[in-house]
Amino acid sequence: MGPVKSSVFILILHLLEGTLSNSLIQLNNNGYEGIVIAIDPNVPEDETLIQQIKDMVTQASPYLFEATGKRFYFKNVAILIPETWKAKPDYVRPKLETYKNADVLVAESTPPQNDEPYTEQMGKCGEKGERIHLTPNFVSGKKLQEYGPQGRAFVHEWAHLRWGVFDEYNNDEKFYLSNGKIQAVRCSAGITGTNVVNKCQGGSCYIKRCTFNKVTGLYEKGCEFIPQTHQTEKASIMFAQYIDSIVEFCTEQNHNKEAPNMQNQKCNLRSTWEVIRDSEDFKKTTPMTTQPPKPMFSLLQIGQRIVCLVLDKSGSMATGNRLNRLNQAGQLFLLQTVELGSWVGMVTFDSAAYVQSELVQINSGSDRDTLAKRLPTAAAGGTSICTGLRSAFTVIRKKYPTDGSEIVLLTDGEDNTISGCFNEVKQSGAVIHTVALGPSAAQELEQLSKMTGGFQTYASDQAQNNGLIDAFGALSSGNGADSQRSIQLESKGLTLQNSQWMNGTVIVDSTVGKDTLFLITWTTQPPQILLWDPSAKKQDGFVVDKNTKMAYLQIPGIAKVGTWKYSLQASSQTLTLTVTSRASSATLPPITVTSKMNKDTGKFPSPMIVYANIRQGASPILRARVTALIESVNGKTITLELLDNGAGADATKDDGVYSRYFTTYDTNGRYSVKVWALGGVNAARRRTIPQQNGAMFIPGWIENDEIKLNPSRPEINKDDLQNKQVCFSRTSSGGSFVASDVPKAPIPDLFPPCQITDLKAEIHEGRLINLTWTAPGDDYDHGTAYKYIIRISTSILDLRDKFNESLQVNTTALIPKEANTEEVFLFKPENITFENGTDLFIAIQAVDKVDLKSEISNIARVSLFIPPQTPPETPSPDETSPPCPDIHINSTIPGIHILKIMWKWLGELQLTIA
């Protein structure tokens, strides 16, 4: 191993922790460095937005510092500015910072007027989030009334992103019963407030106290809890950080464990501070004794894409048709994937390096063809990866600095000297994407991707899996708008015998169609190729390259929307079909599928999780058929149906993120991941973004002795779907991961059922309790569990901490169903006091056939409320809101209704805390 600076080793250790994240954030002496905030290319140019971003982070830093006991602050932030904005002397070219690895995206709201700040969270409690989403309206302070000061809200989102905590409010269930009394969902429970409902009729509105639902014992629909202006409580930021007194996260001492919110459901009743305290960040720091400096900002402007192909032509590339497959994949990248206006160079290497092309700007089809002809055609020699990389740096530096440039490195050979150029790679500021081909590619290869934020992929020698073409097809730019990127519609392969046919269809939907390319490859002889457009017109004009064994057809203009049919005929050979396209319009967002694994290393028996995120702009696509194909280095392929059901590996139901556990390891080494997504008559696009993890919408506030209400937050209607039929087809490379500690066959069963996370409970007549949940499997979310253990308690903490000692429900008649189907179980509590005002808590544990047990489920609760036979004429002292007069007002302020009541009367409206 060559000499490498210690700082590089520190960086590598940071990036090799196992979690698959593109983020560049590092914690250095209590300060967060490497934060990337990107302004979306579709945001109109507005230089004041940059200053507003700076102001937001500057305000957030001391708030974060105090809230975390003087442990954390924002040290430096990079702001990514779109290429289309006017250049400024203080804007510099990015290094590793891209839109793909941005931690915060500032983009226009979708749909319009939805300026809710939120954070994408795919994982479990304590796992880092994906990205914070903010709108220009929010950043500029135009939404202060709805979400409070931007800096405080940013800290709320940061806690989601960095520490994987969840919200402590609940828009769907704002009140709950506790010991027969109504309580507002809040944390801490010491926050006092007023419960009111806004009634409007015929243009006249009035605010009144909330009335009871005589059946449920809860308040009527539309009732809102309005916190008092003057509070003494300091927690919690994950409930309502906009309240002046709130400067802390809830701790185990003041956390409201009974509140039905996501934090309790996802984090096993733990407070946000307990989760933060368990984080790696917390373990690596101690409180500071001095005040932190203000954040530093760098302004980075996206420029033209600069990419150099570094391709292995060593002797091993002559085996298994690898060199020819490299040519096929390289042609796809050069003819289609790389964007117009990009600068592209090419280097080949064996034990030495050879410059095949200096940087050439892609301005036309002829530029693409010229580069494609430089792809290597002969293989010989050894393997020296560092030599190839150094040559690529030289090629780039002849025209541009290497900062922000990209290198696509493909190799199939062993090379134990890669670490010798780690320092040069880091210092270059270039992003390196790695493609490992075959079972013997250098073991340290992925470290180059990890240390530079590049994409890592693996392709086996099984040509029918089309892995190499998928890897190169996935290398579209990490910057720029979605409308510029190449989108893969289809990727299939098949080995045919005796003049068999490979038949199929490809859907070209209305969001794509520009630059549509059909690419066909073969292994021996050109096949018969038949292609028809949606109007049944046969398509001719394929360009046939017999040397490279491929043919392609570029559809002129915008390809017809609909189902394209193909038929390919051949004997005793392998065929593949790849179809790519681009957005049909710069203003209509295309449907996109991005896929990934939760980690880049899988250590048996720890399961992996595969994710696919399907979107059109910010709108999720629901009810698609999504399938993952995971191929091991042995060539074995496992097929997984991915689900968006809010159970098993899936964090949130109907959010457009589909996921599934992977447990079917068969060997150590690399595994590749590909996702197919198909939309049909059942698929739909949601008009509104589902409730995300984000800062709470402020229902109202008290100002100058007056209660003021914001216009009601638009309700998220789960049935509010556009286009009941959304037809599309997509494929997406999910990169690769490396498995270790996999035992030799037969592989033992060490996988328990997955945790049940969506347990719900309701009371039926006769004091029966109806439970519903999604069935786990024998191995996480696969197969069928053997049995269930259901326990109940009147103490939520006893049930959590002493589950095995809690009262067990008779489940003799409960036979588990197959994983991911709905379970329903009705029982009557026995041997436990269950009377009016009783709160009963329920949890489930699943057991498999070898007696492996799942984690305890989320805790469901029921509160027995028996309606009085004769409703009292006046509310009882136990009610949380005393009687008050109905006061009618005609609002003269659009969207804001004001109840003018003297402060002495407001004192009577304070929420009584039990």
Side-chain angles (χ1 to χ4, degrees):
M1 180 179 290
V4 183
K5 291 185 178 179
S6 61
S7 61
V8 178
F9 276 123
I10 293 172
L11 174 70
I12 293 170
L13 288 173
H14 165 73
L15 291 167
L16 299 187
E17 290 175 350
T19 300
L20 187 56
S21 172
N22 291 326
S23 177
L24 303 176
I25 296 173
Q26 295 185 64
L27 181 61
N28 185 10
N29 293 328
N30 299 86
Y32 287 108
E33 301 178 334
I35 303 166
V36 179
I37 300 179
I39 300 173
D40 188 80
N42 294 318
V43 172
E45 183 166 358
D46 180 6
E47 195 173 350
T48 61
L49 183 60
I50 297 172
Q51 185 59 48
Q52 290 161 350
I53 292 172
K54 292 180 179 181
D55 293 342
M56 175 185 70
V57 178
T58 301
Q59 294 163 10
S61 188
Y63 187 62
L64 174 70
F65 184 69
E66 296 299 330
T68 56
K70 304 183 186 301
R71 281 185 180 268
F72 308 118
Y73 68 97
F74 298 123
K75 192 171 186 178
N76 66 57
V77 176
I79 301 176
L80 275 185
I81 299 166
E83 182 180 2
T84 53
W85 286 28
K86 185 178 178 181
K88 300 279 185 180
D90 54 342
Y91 298 172
V92 299
R93 184 175 174 86
K95 291 188 177 181
L96 307 182
E97 301 89 352
T98 67
Y99 280 94
K100 280 188 177 178
N101 63 26
D103 307 292
V104 183
L105 181 65
V106 179
E108 297 289 353
S109 59
T110 305
Q113 309 307 316
N114 182 7
D115 291 285
E116 176 181 338
Y118 69 93
T119 304
E120 292 179 69
Q121 285 180 268
M122 294 183 181
K124 294 184 176 181
C125 180
E127 294 182 6
K128 292 182 176 67
E130 301 297 307
R131 176 179 288 182
I132 295 171
H133 290 257
L134 307 175
T135 68
N137 281 342
F138 170 83
V139 173
S140 66
K142 295 178 181 178
K143 297 297 173 179
L144 283 172
Q145 287 187 170
E146 288 89 345
Y147 299 103
Q150 304 95 300
R152 284 177 167 236
F154 186 72
V155 171
H156 178 108
E157 301 310 322
W158 185 262
H160 287 306
L161 180 76
R162 191 66 187 177
W163 303 309
V165 299
F166 292 85
D167 291 324
E168 292 173 338
Y169 63 91
N170 188 337
N171 282 327
D172 296 325
E173 191 176 346
K174 298 185 178 183
F175 298 90
Y176 64 101
L177 288 173
S178 178
N179 296 319
K181 299 178 182 179
I182 301 177
Q183 296 289 346
V185 175
R186 64 204 190 281
C187 196
S188 71
I191 296 173
T192 59
T194 300
N195 302 321
V196 296
V197 62
N198 186 38
K199 297 285 187 179
C200 293
Q201 186 175 3
S204 177
C205 297
Y206 60 97
I207 296 175
K208 56 175 287 184
R209 69 175 181 84
C210 301
T211 58
F212 294 98
N213 182 308
K214 298 177 182 178
V215 176
T216 65
L218 293 170
Y219 285 131
E220 63 189 297
K221 184 178 180 180
C223 183
E224 295 283 0
F225 172 70
I226 311 298
Q228 296 289 357
T229 300
H230 303 291
Q231 301 279 346
T232 58
E233 290 295 317
K234 295 183 178 181
S236 168
I237 289 171
M238 300 314 293
F239 171 63
Q241 79 293 326
Y242 63 87
I243 297 175
D244 287 343
S245 67
I246 291 183
V247 292
E248 298 175 355
F249 296 99
C250 264
T251 66
E252 53 264 62
Q253 284 74 36
N254 56 21
H255 177 58
N256 184 1
K257 299 175 179 65
E258 289 193 359
N261 54 38
M262 290 292 287
Q263 175 65 21
N264 281 328
Q265 180 178 345
K266 296 286 189 181
C267 297
N268 195 24
L269 311 182
R270 289 187 298 159
S271 68
T272 54
W273 188 245
E274 289 174 89
V275 177
I276 294 169
R277 198 173 56 201
D278 288 341
S279 70
E280 290 300 317
D281 289 354
F282 194 94
K283 295 172 183 176
K284 292 189 293 189
T285 57
T286 56
M288 294 174 61
T289 56
T290 59
Q291 289 298 309
K294 289 185 177 181
M296 301 292 291
F297 298 92
S298 54
L299 305 181
L300 312 178
Q301 186 167 35
I302 301 301
Q304 293 169 317
R305 188 181 189 189
I306 301 165
V307 59
C308 188
L309 300 178
V310 179
L311 308 174
D312 188 348
K313 60 175 272 318
S314 61
S316 56
M317 288 293 292
T319 62
N321 201 32
R322 290 176 184 169
L323 192 65
N324 194 64
R325 292 174 59 211
L326 163 60
N327 272 264
Q328 295 166 348
Q331 289 214 40
L332 174 68
F333 178 80
L334 294 170
L335 295 175
Q336 176 74 358
T337 306
V338 70
E339 298 80 6
L340 278 174
S342 302
W343 291 85
V344 181
M346 189 187 304
V347 169
T348 58
F349 70 93
D350 43 42
S351 54
Y354 313 90
V355 177
Q356 302 298 324
S357 175
E358 303 289 352
L359 289 180
V360 174
Q361 190 170 31
I362 305 294
N363 291 318
S364 65
S366 62
D367 295 325
R368 296 179 183 274
D369 292 336
T370 299
L371 279 163
K373 291 175 182 177
R374 304 291 178 87
L375 291 163
T377 57
T383 305
S384 178
I385 291 171
C386 285
T387 299
L389 291 174
R390 291 181 180 118
S391 181
F393 294 151
T394 300
V395 167
I396 294 168
R397 286 172 181 146
K398 286 181 180 178
K399 196 165 188 68
Y400 292 102
T402 49
D403 288 346
S405 64
E406 299 171 72
I407 289 176
V408 178
L409 170 62
L410 175 141
T411 184
D412 74 335
E414 297 180 4
D415 182 355
N416 58 8
T417 66
I418 298 179
S419 59
C421 57
F422 279 175
N423 192 46
E424 295 166 75
V425 167
K426 174 57 184 171
Q427 297 302 323
S428 73
V431 176
I432 299 183
H433 310 292
T434 56
V435 183
L437 177 57
S440 302
Q443 295 303 306
E444 292 179 286
L445 183 66
E446 283 83 0
Q447 294 187 20
L448 295 168
S449 296
K450 293 168 188 173
M451 72 170 67
T452 63
F455 188 54
Q456 65 179 54
T457 54
Y458 160 69
S460 74
D461 285 327
Q462 304 297 316
Q464 71 273 13
N465 291 335
N466 214 22
L468 200 53
I469 284 180
D470 291 338
F472 275 77
L475 296 174
S476 58
S477 173
N479 294 310
D482 285 341
S483 60
Q484 300 171 356
R485 296 178 184 150
S486 177
I487 296 171
Q488 195 160 298
L489 307 186
E490 186 58 280
S491 169
K492 287 196 174 174
L494 190 65
T495 299
L496 303 178
Q497 305 291 339
N498 302 322
S499 300
Q500 288 179 314
W501 288 87
M502 175 177 164
N503 301 314
T505 60
V506 179
I507 298 172
V508 176
D509 59 276
S510 61
T511 71
V512 294
K514 184 181 179 182
D515 295 341
T516 303
L517 180 80
F518 285 79
L519 174 69
I520 294 159
T521 72
W522 57 88
T523 52
T524 56
Q525 298 293 326
Q528 182 179 354
I529 302 173
L530 300 174
L531 177 67
W532 298 271
D533 72 9
S535 62
K537 181 180 179 181
K538 186 173 178 293
Q539 301 295 300
D540 297 313
F542 273 87
V543 177
V544 179
D545 183 345
K546 293 185 178 180
N547 292 327
T548 311
K549 299 176 182 176
M550 60 180 284
Y552 61 89
L553 175 65
Q554 188 90 46
I555 305 299
I558 305 296
K560 286 186 178 180
V561 173
T563 302
W564 293 63
K565 297 181 180 180
Y566 63 86
S567 291
L568 312 176
Q569 186 185 40
S571 294
S572 303
Q573 64 172 318
T574 298
L575 305 183
T576 72
L577 170 77
T578 306
V579 184
T580 63
S581 190
R582 282 189 168 84
S584 58
S585 166
T587 57
L588 176 67
I591 294 173
T592 60
V593 177
T594 55
S595 52
K596 58 173 279 186
M597 301 299 294
N598 66 319
K599 297 180 290 185
D600 51 42
T601 56
K603 190 172 183 180
F604 185 89
S606 175
M608 300 288 290
I609 301 175
V610 57
Y611 296 105
N613 194 349
I614 309 182
R615 289 283 187 274
Q616 184 180 3
S619 299
I621 302 296
L622 310 184
R623 301 198 295 263
R625 286 173 47 200
V626 185
T627 305
L629 286 84
I630 301 178
E631 182 188 5
S632 73
V633 72
N634 283 346
K636 180 181 178 181
T637 299
I638 300 298
T639 301
L640 292 178
E641 180 188 4
L642 307 187
L643 304 172
D644 186 15
N645 62 353
D650 193 60
T652 306
K653 184 177 181 178
D654 290 342
D655 66 345
V657 177
Y658 299 72
S659 56
R660 198 77 180 271
Y661 284 108
F662 170 76
T663 59
T664 320
Y665 297 95
D666 73 313
T667 186
N668 291 313
R670 295 182 173 100
Y671 288 69
S672 67
V673 184
K674 177 163 72 173
V675 167
W676 284 336
L678 187 66
V681 293
N682 292 321
R685 177 174 52 251
R686 174 166 272 174
R687 290 178 185 270
T688 50
I689 302 172
Q691 172 61 41
Q692 304 279 353
N693 297 297
M696 182 173 70
F697 178 87
I698 301 171
W701 67 99
I702 299 170
E703 181 180 300
N704 297 327
D705 298 349
E706 297 175 353
I707 295 178
K708 297 186 178 182
L709 298 183
N710 271 318
S712 298
R713 179 179 179 272
E715 289 191 14
I716 303 299
N717 183 353
K718 295 181 180 180
D719 298 320
D720 183 20
L721 302 174
Q722 284 180 318
N723 298 349
K724 295 298 181 182
Q725 182 172 322
V726 179
C727 295
F728 66 93
S729 61
R730 298 285 188 275
T731 64
S732 170
S733 172
S736 63
F737 65 93
V738 179
S740 62
D741 291 356
V742 180
K744 293 182 179 180
I747 295 176
D749 181 0
L750 299 179
F751 298 108
C754 65
Q755 181 188 30
I756 295 166
T757 58
D758 61 350
L759 177 65
K760 295 180 178 63
E762 292 181 346
I763 294 181
H764 281 214
E765 292 182 5
R767 303 191 186 187
L768 294 173
I769 297 176
N770 187 61
L771 302 180
T772 59
W773 69 94
T774 301
D778 178 83
D779 296 339
Y780 285 89
D781 54 6
H782 303 275
T784 304
Y786 176 67
K787 67 178 181 179
Y788 293 116
I789 299 172
I790 302 178
R791 296 184 184 273
I792 58 177
S793 176
T794 54
S795 167
I796 192 169
L797 289 182
D798 282 352
L799 186 63
R800 183 191 70 173
D801 300 334
K802 303 175 183 178
F803 180 80
N804 291 332
E805 301 173 21
S806 299
L807 183 64
Q808 186 168 349
V809 175
N810 186 344
T811 57
T812 304
L814 178 57
I815 299 174
K817 296 179 182 178
E818 186 178 357
N820 300 302
T821 54
E822 185 184 38
E823 296 274 24
V824 179
F825 182 63
L826 194 68
F827 73 97
K828 186 173 183 178
E830 298 178 349
N831 302 320
I832 195 168
T833 301
F834 195 46
E835 57 191 17
N836 194 19
T838 298
D839 302 321
L840 194 62
F841 302 96
I842 307 125
I844 303 182
Q845 192 174 44
V847 185
D848 72 4
K849 60 182 179 291
V850 295
D851 205 36
L852 294 174
K853 295 180 175 66
S854 71
E855 296 179 56
I856 307 302
S857 72
N858 66 292
I859 296 178
R861 66 178 292 154
V862 290
S863 298
L864 185 60
F865 172 76
I866 301 175
Q869 293 183 353
T870 303
E873 294 183 2
T874 57
S876 69
D878 286 341
E879 293 178 0
T880 60
S881 291
C884 62
D886 293 347
I887 298 183
H888 293 254
I889 60 172
N890 290 310
S891 175
T892 58
I893 304 176
I896 298 179
H897 307 295
I898 303 174
L899 177 60
K900 296 186 175 181
I901 308 173
M902 297 305 296
W903 185 247
K904 63 178 182 179
W905 186 78
L906 282 171
E908 299 174 358
L909 282 174
Q910 291 186 8
L911 181 64
T912 302
I913 305 301

